Amino acid sequence: MNYKLPQLPYSPDELSPIISKETVGYHYGKHEQTYIDNLNKLIKGTKFEDMPLEEIIKTSTGALFNNASQAWNHIFYFFGLSPQGGGEPTGVLRLAIEDAFDSVENFIQQMKEAGGKLFGSGWVWLVKDTNDKLSIVSTSNADNPMREGYMPIMCIDVWEHAYYLDYQNKRAEYLDKIWDIVNWDIVCRRFLQKFSHTK
């Protein structure tokens, strides 16, 4: 299997001014491409060569895990954004968020707080368990909640390269504005999927 960089469903300039064309170009076009290139080199001729990416993430370690997980995490992040995003979730997703966090406002505030508190590089995730119960999980570096038995629903990248060209050291500002481009339709679709990422 040879993994390829998926084409985004929007052009690199369409997330501006929340995320600039330059950031999308470097972050997705270069950083993500490097993770995928490294992944392809590392799996060649190994037992991981024909594994789905999720299985590689759950069963590998070291450089292979780091590149596989970062490749998956970035695709998940960028495909959860949209130039037509923003607003608030509706339907069953909204009900599940209100059940877990009392309100959408509380959920967003808790996600922003988790992103602000995460030291160094990492990710903040909305995940569900086998009972479709939602919670917020923070992971460092390349880690992914699938390794702990959760199914990711959405994520925010808080590595510095995700926001530094646009916001410099103002991570809080990035965490405030990212909600204007969250693709709630995609997040809801993920929530409705059958639970598949078990430990």
Side-chain angles (χ1 to χ4, degrees):
M1 186 181 297
N2 190 53
Y3 290 99
K4 298 184 183 299
L5 182 71
Q7 183 174 345
L8 292 173
Y10 46 82
S11 63
D13 63 337
E14 286 189 284
L15 298 182
S16 181
I18 310 303
I19 299 177
S20 67
K21 177 181 179 180
E22 187 177 19
T23 292
V24 175
Y26 278 107
H27 191 186
Y28 191 75
K30 296 185 183 298
H31 271 88
E32 173 66 354
Q33 184 66 64
T34 299
Y35 290 128
I36 290 175
D37 290 345
N38 288 340
L39 170 64
N40 285 325
K41 291 174 187 174
L42 289 164
I43 62 175
K44 190 173 182 180
T46 74
K47 66 178 182 179
F48 299 101
E49 194 166 21
D50 295 316
M51 273 189 191
L53 192 51
E54 290 83 1
E55 288 302 315
I56 297 174
I57 291 168
K58 289 184 283 185
T59 59
S60 64
T61 59
L64 177 55
F65 164 72
N66 287 333
N67 284 278
S69 192
Q70 283 291 79
W72 193 97
N73 293 356
H74 281 88
I75 293 167
F76 194 79
Y77 167 71
F78 275 101
F79 276 76
L81 304 176
S82 170
Q84 290 78 45
E88 293 190 353
T90 58
V92 292
L93 176 61
R94 185 184 187 94
L95 292 175
I97 288 173
E98 290 174 343
D99 180 61
F101 306 101
D102 294 327
S103 69
V104 173
E105 183 180 3
N106 284 344
F107 158 65
I108 291 174
Q109 185 60 34
Q110 287 180 41
M111 285 285 285
K112 291 194 292 187
E113 288 175 358
K117 290 176 182 176
L118 184 61
F119 184 78
S121 300
W123 303 81
V124 179
W125 306 82
L126 176 65
V127 301
K128 74 174 184 177
D129 64 16
T130 53
N131 297 313
D132 285 347
K133 180 73 173 177
L134 296 176
S135 60
I136 293 169
V137 173
S138 298
T139 62
S140 296
N141 300 319
D143 209 358
N144 186 298
M146 287 189 286
R147 288 164 68 90
E148 299 300 323
Y150 294 107
M151 182 173 174
I153 301 300
M154 70 166 287
C155 69
I156 300 175
D157 187 345
V158 291
W159 282 63
E160 283 189 344
H161 62 240
Y163 60 86
Y164 213 83
L165 289 178
D166 302 321
Y167 300 96
Q168 290 76 52
N169 63 328
K170 301 171 186 173
R171 184 190 284 186
E173 186 177 351
Y174 160 71
L175 290 169
D176 277 335
K177 292 186 176 179
I178 192 74
W179 299 96
D180 291 340
I181 52 173
V182 169
N183 187 337
W184 290 113
D185 289 340
I186 292 294
V187 179
C188 186
R189 202 175 307 162
R190 291 167 175 170
F191 174 70
L192 291 171
Q193 287 178 347
K194 183 179 178 181
F195 192 97
S196 59
H197 302 313
T198 53
K199 197 171 183 180

